[in-house]
């Protein structure tokens, strides 16, 4: 403490006190390698032995920057190793795009070489509604079974689509042209689609679509949104009577 230091200074300045000290005591105090140097507390000793530590905020910022730099270096080095090494990098599992359309348009060529988020390849599976079947569950998602004939060869596949592009009407009054159950199955399995499955299901009924147009007609007026006059009957019996 300051009081102790002042006391020592006064005692050492006293000639009679210094004269009574053992021979060579003052010389030992002045030697830099003296084993009898003034003692220090353990905390002070550890402070001298350890390198100075930066403050908490500085340490945190340096640590984050160091981690980022290390990650960038490792990524860059990994890319260099892949380009120089004989073994190609492990490919990510491709995303499956199911296109529901006829065979007149080859949708695979439009997605050839394209990637999702620059990382995942796209595998296109194309079939018509009539060539598909599916099963969907709460936990397992949706599994599609496909049976198509390509160039005289029957192709049978089963897969889980990640996305569906629908280019066909899901409902027609013609016999065997009602595929609304498949639309419901895709919705049941939580599959993302273009257009939305809700809009596709709604468009299965033309009167339902026209009823939505009537709402716009009533909101904007006949001048901005004209409609052809129509009358809806629940069945053909009311139309005849």
């Amino acid at each position: 403490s300051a009081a102790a230091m002042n006391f020592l200074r006064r005692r050492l300045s006293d000639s009679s006190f210094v004269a009574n000290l053992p021979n060579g005591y003052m010389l030992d105090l002045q030697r830099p390698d003296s084993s009898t140097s003034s003692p220090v507390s353990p905390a002070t000793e550890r402070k001298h032995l350890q390198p100075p530590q930066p403050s908490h905020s500085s340490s945190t910022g340096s640590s984050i920057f160091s981690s980022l730099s290390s990650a960038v270096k490792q990524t860059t080095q990994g890319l260099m190793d892949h380009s120089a090494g004989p073994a190609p990098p492990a490919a990510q599992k491709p995303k499956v795009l199911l296109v529901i359309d006829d065979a007149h348009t080859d949708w695979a060529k439009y997605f050839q070489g394209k990637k999702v988020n620059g990382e995942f390849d796209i595998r296109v599976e194309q079939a018509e509604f009539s060539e598909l079947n599916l099963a969907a569950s709460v936990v397992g998602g949706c599994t599609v079974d496909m049976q198509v004939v390509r160039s005289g060869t029957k192709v049978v596949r089963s897969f889980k689509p990640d996305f569906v592009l629908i280019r066909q009407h899901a409902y027609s009054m013609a016999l065997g042209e009602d595929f609304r159950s498949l639309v419901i199955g895709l919705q049941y399995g939580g599959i993302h689609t273009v257009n939305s499955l809700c809009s596709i299901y709604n468009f299965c009924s033309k009167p339902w679509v026209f009823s939505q147009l009537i709402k716009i007609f009533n909101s904007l007026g006949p001048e901005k949104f004209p409609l052809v006059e129509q009358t809806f009957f629940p069945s053909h019996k009311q139309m005849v009577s």
Side-chain angles (χ1 to χ4, degrees), residues 214-225:
I214 293 175
K215 289 183 179 180
I216 303 176
F217 171 83
N218 292 331
S219 174
L220 300 179
E223 293 184 358
K224 292 186 177 180
F225 198 81

Side-chain angles (χ1 to χ4, degrees), residues 1-14 17:
S1 64
M5 292 299 296
N6 291 331
F7 173 78
L8 287 175
R9 288 193 186 99
R10 287 195 305 269
R11 296 294 289 168
L12 291 174
S13 63
D14 187 354
F17 175 76

Side-chain angles (χ1 to χ4, degrees), residues 61-174:
S62 301
S63 176
I64 294 174
F65 181 80
S66 176
S67 299
L68 290 174
S69 300
S70 177
V72 171
K73 288 180 181 178
Q74 290 178 5
T75 303
T76 305
Q77 185 63 40
L79 292 175
M80 293 174 63
D81 293 342
H82 286 321
S83 61
Q92 295 278 6
K93 184 179 179 181
K95 298 297 182 180
V96 179
L97 169 64
L98 171 61
V99 181
I100 302 178
D101 197 4
D102 56 43
H104 290 91
T105 304
D106 183 12
W107 285 94
K109 69 178 183 180
Y110 292 101
F111 294 93
Q112 187 175 5
K114 301 292 193 303
K115 289 182 178 291
V116 178
N117 295 332
E119 184 178 2
F120 298 94
D121 292 325
I122 302 174
R123 194 183 95 209
V124 177
E125 299 285 358
Q126 182 172 339
E128 299 186 36
F129 268 120
S130 59
E131 299 169 324
L132 297 175
N133 202 349
L134 60 80
S137 62
V138 176
V139 178
C142 182
T143 300
V144 174
D145 297 322
M146 182 178 71
Q147 294 187 16
V148 299
V149 177
R150 297 288 183 264
S151 303
T153 303
K154 187 176 182 180
V155 179
V156 179
R157 271 199 285 270
S158 181
F159 53 87
K160 288 179 176 290
D162 296 291
F163 202 90
V164 178
L165 172 62
I166 299 178
R167 301 291 295 175
Q168 283 185 324
H169 292 296
Y171 174 75
S172 171
M173 294 183 68

Side-chain angles (χ1 to χ4, degrees), residues 201-214:
Y201 191 83
N202 287 337
F203 267 85
C204 289
S205 173
K206 292 183 180 180
W208 180 267
V209 175
F210 200 83
S211 69
Q212 310 305 311
L213 299 180
I214 293 175

Side-chain angles (χ1 to χ4, degrees), residues 10-82:
R10 287 195 305 269
R11 296 294 289 168
L12 291 174
S13 63
D14 187 354
S15 59
S16 61
F17 175 76
V18 174
N20 292 324
L21 290 174
N23 292 333
Y25 187 83
M26 292 300 295
L27 295 177
D28 290 339
L29 288 177
Q30 296 172 0
R31 291 174 185 172
D33 58 345
S34 173
S35 60
T36 59
S37 60
S38 58
V40 294
S41 65
T44 306
E45 186 176 5
R46 286 195 299 270
K47 184 176 180 180
H48 285 293
L49 291 176
Q50 295 178 353
Q53 297 294 328
S55 64
H56 177 71
S57 60
S58 175
S59 176
T60 304
S62 301
S63 176
I64 294 174
F65 181 80
S66 176
S67 299
L68 290 174
S69 300
S70 177
V72 171
K73 288 180 181 178
Q74 290 178 5
T75 303
T76 305
Q77 185 63 40
L79 292 175
M80 293 174 63
D81 293 342
H82 286 321

